[in-house]
Amino acid sequence: MLVDLGIDIGCRRPGAHTRKGLKSIVLADLFNYTNGRFLTNEELCLKRRFVESDVRKLCEVILELTSNGAARSPVISIDKLEGGFSKVLVIKQADGTEVTAKIPTPFAGPPCLTTESEVAVLRFVKSKTSIPVPGVLAWSSNPNNPLFHRWGSLDRPDRFSLIKQLTKLEAELTALVLPSNGHLYLRSSLPAGFPSLNVDLSINSDYHYCLGPSCDRTWSSQNERSNSSLNRGLVRHFRWTSAAAYGIALAEREVYRIEAASDVRPTEFGTPNNADDIQLLRTTIKLIQHIQSSSILQTSIEPTIWHTDLHLGNIFVSEDSPPKIVSLIDWQSIPISPPFLQARWPVFLDPPDDYPEGLGKPQLPDNYNNLDDEEKKLADFKLSEINQSKGYEISTFLSNKRAHRAMTLPRVFKELFIRTGEAYEEGTIALRECLLEIRSNWTELGFNGTCVYSFTDAEIERHKQQFSEYLEWHGLRKVLRDALCTDAEGWVSPELDFEAIKRSNRELFEVFVEKYDGLKTREECLRIWPYAEAL
């Protein structure tokens, strides 16, 4: 009773649960990326997201899984949903059964490790916490909605109820202390040849978990340009039993990538000097070797698990009033690492730039009564956004102190690891700023003795100039992303007019050229314009 491939095939907007908004597509578009366009490197971006699969075989497997000895119910439709790192095929049978097949893209990381780790994380979280997560190889049609469908219509008490639920669920995750950094796997299915470390199963022995190497794409795709990503087996290296070991591995990875690069290594900002970058990474290793001696990091270095991509589309809620969180989805490539690297606000609760620190109650501006109506509306809106972030912060403080401590640590610790891990692609200007900040605040950051590295006055002065230009460039990128409704890759939603976005990009570029007339040539402006390819 295998279906022919003339069945109803469509593409839904991410999160849609009904056939409303469904657009018919041809079979080939199940494999191609069709959820938007790109202002830069479009050919490469589309290639990274192309995944070909045997649809006929997939249907056979699903019919076998769902028959349970009864007559097979034929597949009547296949709907596709796409994100940046995976695509989902929602396969519906005539009897109403729906099954989801999630397929990671090449951009997500090593396909085998990525899938193996997500299955292990789902089972681990389901068995050791009360957090509702999807069953592996199953998807049921029920009256639940992704949160983004309901958030805008929820009143303030219901929003804060959901925020409290979320922080309590996150507290269950941070309570799970694991023996090493890396990614979680089922020992029985981890591919041969990869080192692993057992996880204590004192709570539950249903599954045999282990920790293994990172399945993050940055470990599998290093040196895409030189095509030598696995020459030294960096993906298979796994001895990250401490935050220091993990940080050193990041630095060594970036040194290897730079050494394997060609003489010219253009990054998005400028053209860095390979030798200088390698030297700075060697200095970074000296620092990271001492990172765990910081007294203020001691409560935030034991590896744990955390959902690092909680946006409105990944949180499913009931139709009840008040609504209840019924599922957290998209656990792909979730890492095991220290809380100071993991803990963060959910994307939709991320505090604004002028967010007031501490647990005090946010207030309207002192001159509120003197503002006009439009200014008052803006002030009310900003206060509402700040209150939601503050509600999350206070609820985290009350129910998840471990995460709250990690979130309130000096940001430079997290930045150090982030900037170390992107040195090859982004250069080392931001990394050098981290090193200078830590050196200037050595004692305040909990270190004893004197700093283990130094910079000359000339190096510091040169850095100040470079960092000023770097900040200006990043400011430009932020303004453009907001104005063009895009991101770092130049992604444009399929719901927007791509040609209109390109016209706006050209208009903004001309404004930029005019602003810097006499200071920068047109060619210099082109070199620093993030979306020059779309002009």
Side-chain angles (χ1 to χ4, degrees), residues 118-188:
E118 184 170 10
V119 170
V121 167
L122 286 170
R123 291 184 173 181
F124 184 76
V125 171
K126 183 180 286 288
S127 67
K128 295 185 180 296
T129 75
S130 66
I131 297 173
V133 297
V136 178
L137 297 180
W139 188 91
S140 59
S141 180
N142 54 46
N144 303 326
N145 293 307
L147 187 53
F148 73 80
H149 283 313
R150 301 201 59 200
W151 186 254
S153 62
L154 293 177
D155 58 24
R156 182 176 176 181
D158 282 352
R159 289 192 179 192
F160 281 99
S161 172
L162 285 174
I163 289 171
K164 288 176 65 177
Q165 292 176 49
L166 186 59
T167 57
K168 288 180 179 179
L169 294 176
E170 288 178 330
E172 293 189 55
L173 290 179
T174 54
L176 299 172
V177 176
L178 292 139
S180 181
N181 302 282
H183 278 73
L184 196 66
Y185 298 91
L186 297 173
R187 172 168 285 285
S188 60

Side-chain angles (χ1 to χ4, degrees), residues 56 74 107 177 184 193 221 295 314 352 379 424 441 465 474:
R56 184 177 294 276
F107 195 41
V177 176
L184 196 66
S221 62
S295 58
N314 283 341
Y424 172 82
N441 300 279
Q465 177 62 33
H474 268 278

